[in-house]
Amino acid sequence: MDGFAFWALASFAAVLVGMGKGGMPVVGMLSVPVLALVPGMHPVTAAGLLLPLYVVSDMFGLYAYRHAFDRRVLAIIVPAATLGVILGYVTAEAVSEAWVTVLIGVIGVVFALNLLIRRKIVVAPAEPKIAPGVFWGAVTGFTSFVSHSGGPPYQVYTMPLGMNKAVFAGTSTIAFAYINAIKLIPYYMLGQVNLLSLEKVLVLMPIAAVSVFVGVRLVKWLPEKLFFELVTWALLLVSLKLIWDGYRGF
């Protein structure tokens, strides 16, 4: 974890992390694959290195969206996601990450294609229902813990609720800030967070922090319909990549 290649790719990954926490769809999920391009860097090592950076960036995202979020959605998602993370930790040795990754990819593809075929990207506001929220929230926490892929199940629940783009981005930022924070302890217990790499995180922190507010500005600038079209296409592309990653893991 040194040299020009590492710092160039790590800095770019930090920009992606920050912009993702600023509410820009998909870019945050590109950070681990980008850092994994460093010669000799395993994706699991890249994910462990970036997790503290995600948590730090979450703090700036929380500040940026402190006035834009849906309280009811968070009240449903947060406890459900907690159960999902706990389940992920308890079953860490038994669950096949490849199968989970493929399953979440398939769910995301079906949901995104349904939206694109119907062409109803922006929907009317709807009341968040508890039962679906508990289910998808638990799936979000579980898949986020197992394979860093909590985005698709979260979007399956939240996109039909008709939140405006700022509230959608803010609610997502707050929900995943919480999920990332509670993942730190079990990740450390499983040896996936290396405290020796924290000095690298300190160097990358300012880059990610500035990028958070760049992402916030872009969310404000994008038209509502275009924003949700990007979210839907991002969900489709990420889900296809998850299917491919899971297939390669068998």
Side-chain angles (χ1 to χ4, degrees), residues 172-244:
S172 302
T173 298
I174 294 170
F176 282 98
Y178 172 80
I179 293 171
N180 287 333
I182 64 172
K183 280 162 57 177
L184 276 175
I185 295 177
Y187 264 51
Y188 176 72
M189 293 173 67
L190 292 172
Q192 293 193 37
V193 176
N194 184 358
L195 295 179
L196 296 177
S197 66
L198 288 182
E199 62 182 39
K200 306 289 193 299
V201 174
L202 293 176
V203 176
L204 297 170
M205 191 187 306
I207 301 173
V210 171
S211 300
V212 170
F213 295 100
V214 173
V216 172
R217 294 292 296 177
L218 287 173
V219 169
K220 292 180 179 179
W221 174 76
L222 287 172
E224 194 98 1
K225 187 173 186 298
L226 177 58
F227 175 82
F228 283 106
E229 283 184 346
L230 289 174
V231 173
T232 305
W233 279 104
L235 173 60
L236 178 61
L237 294 175
V238 168
S239 298
L240 288 171
K241 183 182 184 303
L242 289 175
I243 293 173
W244 174 247

Side-chain angles (χ1 to χ4, degrees), residues 79-89 137-143 145:
T82 304
L83 293 176
V85 170
I86 293 172
L87 180 62
Y89 172 68
V139 174
T140 296
F142 178 78
T143 55
F145 183 89

Side-chain angles (χ1 to χ4, degrees), residues 21 33 40 42-43 47 62 84 98 121 143 147 155 158 176 184 201 220 233 245:
K21 295 305 175 183
H42 192 278
L62 290 174
I121 303 297
T143 55
S147 60
Q155 291 173 354
T158 55
F176 282 98
L184 276 175
V201 174
K220 292 180 179 179
W233 279 104
D245 288 346

